[in-house]
Amino acid sequence: MLEPISPSPPALASRPVGKEHSPLRDKVAGEIRAAIQAGVFKPGDRLVEDRLAEQFGVSRNPVREAIRTLASEALIEVTARRGAVVASLSPQEAEELLEVRATLEGANARLAARRRDPKTIDQLKEILARGSSAIEAKRVDELAALNDAFHTHLAQAGCNRVLVDLMKTLRDRSGPLFRGIGLEFATESWAEHASILRAVIAGDAELASLLAYRHVLNAGTRRPPEEAG
Amino acid sequence: MLEPISPSPPALASRPVGKEHSPLRDKVAGEIRAAIQAGVFKPGDRLVEDRLAEQFGVSRNPVREAIRTLASEALIEVTARRGAVVASLSPQEAEELLEVRATLEGANARLAARRRDPKTIDQLKEILARGSSAIEAKRVDELAALNDAFHTHLAQAGCNRVLVDLMKTLRDRSGPLFRGIGLEFATESWAEHASILRAVIAGDAELASLLAYRHVLNAGTRRPPEEAG
DNA sequence: ATTATGGATACTGTATACAATCTCTTGGCT
DNA sequence: AGCCAAGAGATTGTATACAGTATCCATAAT
């Protein structure tokens, strides 16, 4: 998670002839994002450029560019000449965020139900099944990834790229709210996923929209206001 | 628009002791943003770091950071090792973008109607009146700014900061679609603003939402698919 | 003519250096 | 003891340098 980023995955012999390697700023941004999602970097933690640069084995420049990107995603908060800290969600902000997410998830579910793309629906069924198994077997740790997969594929089913990108950003941003969720919560949440998918398959756009909207708000209310900013 | 950015507005004698000056990256980002909105930089135009740095009288570093920010806002498109170009909106993308904008404007109008903040409503009335005058006097050039002001204040009336920021970003992003609008279009659009505000004042949340939603979509359909990407 | 090939040029990616500013501590004063 | 000031250290802001790629054009071969 916090190890140096080799200039390129040293695949075979030596391949400094970068061909399909992404810029360091992207790798760094990805690492920091992952660290925030995983809770390695907690809300309020300072992100010191020198420190990050050293940890990743790069210069400060890619780090600074990564910071700008993450700031635009509201995952971190940057104050001029004072540096960046991991964003905190005040109860107020959390509520606002969930309201917007709910609205967009609702709009997307409506689109998905109108479209009913068989391929994507099959993938959603598959994910749903895997989630159910995980819950039955009480493998809670897998559920965060499966939840993300479900929402990602549902977004794809809506087939609106602007919406896909926005929902992903908002989902990442609201991530800290849902870390370390219990089995009980996960079960309810997963049942809601099933209902949403049923409505989508049935082509019931308004029901799908309403269920998706409430799914997000429900998730918020199940979780008491915490993580003050 | 494209003149050098002095390290700080050279107010009095010399004030290198920066106190309330913003970083160059922000000024540069602002300048580029403005240039895109104003049509000085057109969709597809390349943004060469060296060139920008020289034009603004700064080094490439602030320019690069500004580019990351603008890329996150989807105002420009960056390809690794190939640089940045001003974003183009394909008809498909434009439609998707307007659908999302309409959804969010609708959600926001609903919130605004529930809240009915007197102060903000007064400001909206004022803006509406000024726009009407401008239309009567056929001062079309003022309308872009007034339109933005109306939507900005309507967003404030909704009182959801997440929504405010998102809608602003999407509005900027859809800006190129509405450049150089005719008086006829502006008149229709402004009449819709009046209806929305009436619904908000009446506290009719569902009507306000519907009108705001349609207002955005109407604006899109009045304008034939153009600006291919 | 068309397509390859080579190299020159332009541009982006990354690192390093220095300046400006902030933060925190130390010392002195009341 | 408590508070203000000065200075040292830490950190961000900006500029510059160089390396790695991409792009373009001239030239040559088919």
Side-chain angles (χ1 to χ4, degrees):
Chain A
M1 183 66 70
L2 288 179
E3 279 136 45
I5 300 172
S6 43
S8 188
L12 296 171
S14 79
R15 186 152 49 42
V17 272
K19 197 56 190 173
E20 72 305 300
H21 83 134
S22 53
L24 292 182
R25 59 168 178 272
D26 293 339
K27 301 185 184 179
V28 170
E31 293 287 329
I32 298 176
R33 218 190 318 263
I36 292 175
Q37 302 299 353
V40 178
F41 293 159
K42 298 178 183 56
D45 283 358
R46 280 197 66 181
L47 297 180
V48 179
E49 297 171 5
D50 262 333
R51 208 174 269 280
L52 293 170
E54 194 181 13
Q55 286 180 337
F56 294 132
V58 303
S59 78
R60 275 176 57 211
N61 244 338
V63 172
R64 283 176 68 84
E65 295 185 15
I67 285 176
R68 299 313 149 217
T69 298
L70 297 171
S72 290
E73 296 169 4
L75 285 179
I76 65 179
E77 290 163 7
V78 175
T79 308
R81 264 162 277 110
R82 289 200 187 168
V85 301
V86 177
S88 309
L89 278 178
S90 69
Q92 161 90 7
E93 210 174 340
E95 188 189 320
E96 293 178 357
L97 184 55
L98 289 181
E99 171 70 25
V100 176
R101 257 200 72 193
T103 300
L104 292 181
E105 289 279 352
N108 178 70
R110 182 180 290 116
L111 294 177
R114 290 205 190 116
R115 208 168 270 269
R116 287 202 278 183
D117 177 58
K119 196 170 160 70
T120 312
I121 285 177
D122 280 348
Q123 292 173 315
L124 281 165
K125 281 181 182 168
E126 164 77 17
I127 293 166
L128 200 63
R130 275 201 278 173
S132 300
S133 309
I135 286 174
E136 280 180 45
K138 300 195 199 312
R139 298 192 304 268
V140 188
D141 52 316
E142 294 179 17
L143 284 170
L146 284 167
N147 180 67
D148 197 69
F150 183 85
H151 282 279
T152 299
H153 283 261
L154 187 58
Q156 276 192 286
C159 213
N160 180 321
R161 278 194 57 76
V162 176
L163 210 38
V164 169
D165 293 343
L166 265 182
M167 286 194 298
K168 169 107 185 93
T169 300
L170 294 182
R171 199 147 14 95
D172 285 352
R173 198 168 156 190
S174 61
L177 288 176
F178 304 115
R179 180 156 329 104
I181 288 310
L183 186 62
E184 184 186 6
F185 166 84
T187 306
E188 291 179 44
S189 182
W190 210 255
E192 291 174 357
H193 287 172
S195 310
I196 294 169
L197 183 54
R198 264 197 304 276
V200 168
I201 292 172
D204 191 338
E206 290 315 309
L207 181 60
S209 174
L210 186 61
L211 290 174
Y213 179 87
R214 288 203 182 152
H215 169 61
V216 175
L217 293 192
N218 285 342
T221 54
R222 279 196 272 261
R223 153 151 331 292
E226 57 177 304
E227 177 166 347
Chain B
M1 182 67 69
L2 287 180
E3 278 137 46
I5 300 171
S6 41
S8 189
L12 297 170
S14 80
R15 187 152 52 40
V17 271
K19 197 58 189 173
E20 73 303 302
H21 84 133
S22 54
L24 291 183
R25 60 170 178 269
D26 292 338
K27 300 185 185 179
V28 170
E31 293 287 330
I32 297 176
R33 218 190 319 261
I36 292 176
Q37 301 299 354
V40 177
F41 292 160
K42 297 178 185 56
D45 283 359
R46 281 197 65 181
L47 296 180
V48 179
E49 296 171 5
D50 263 332
R51 211 173 269 281
L52 293 170
E54 195 181 12
Q55 286 179 337
F56 294 132
V58 303
S59 78
R60 274 177 58 211
N61 243 336
V63 172
R64 283 176 68 83
E65 295 184 14
I67 284 176
R68 300 312 149 219
T69 299
L70 296 171
S72 290
E73 296 170 4
L75 285 179
I76 66 179
E77 290 163 6
V78 174
T79 310
R81 265 161 278 111
R82 287 202 187 165
V85 300
V86 178
S88 308
L89 278 178
S90 70
Q92 161 90 8
E93 211 174 338
E95 188 189 320
E96 294 178 358
L97 184 54
L98 290 181
E99 171 69 24
V100 177
R101 254 200 74 192
T103 301
L104 292 181
E105 289 278 352
N108 178 70
R110 182 180 291 116
L111 294 178
R114 289 204 192 118
R115 206 169 273 270
R116 286 203 279 185
D117 177 59
K119 194 170 161 69
T120 312
I121 285 178
D122 281 348
Q123 293 173 315
L124 282 165
K125 281 181 182 168
E126 164 77 16
I127 293 166
L128 200 63
R130 276 202 276 173
S132 301
S133 310
I135 286 175
E136 280 181 45
K138 301 196 198 311
R139 298 192 304 267
V140 188
D141 52 315
E142 294 180 16
L143 283 170
L146 283 167
N147 181 67
D148 197 69
F150 182 85
H151 282 279
T152 299
H153 282 262
L154 187 58
Q156 278 193 283
C159 212
N160 179 321
R161 277 193 57 73
V162 176
L163 209 39
V164 168
D165 293 343
L166 265 183
M167 287 194 296
K168 169 106 186 96
T169 301
L170 294 181
R171 201 152 5 100
D172 286 351
R173 198 169 157 190
S174 61
L177 288 175
F178 303 115
R179 181 158 330 106
I181 288 310
L183 186 61
E184 183 188 6
F185 167 83
T187 307
E188 290 179 45
S189 183
W190 211 256
E192 291 174 358
H193 286 172
S195 310
I196 295 169
L197 184 52
R198 263 197 304 277
V200 168
I201 292 172
D204 192 338
E206 289 314 309
L207 180 60
S209 174
L210 185 61
L211 290 174
Y213 179 87
R214 290 204 180 150
H215 169 61
V216 175
L217 292 191
N218 286 342
T221 53
R222 279 196 272 260
R223 144 158 339 292
E226 57 178 303
E227 176 168 346

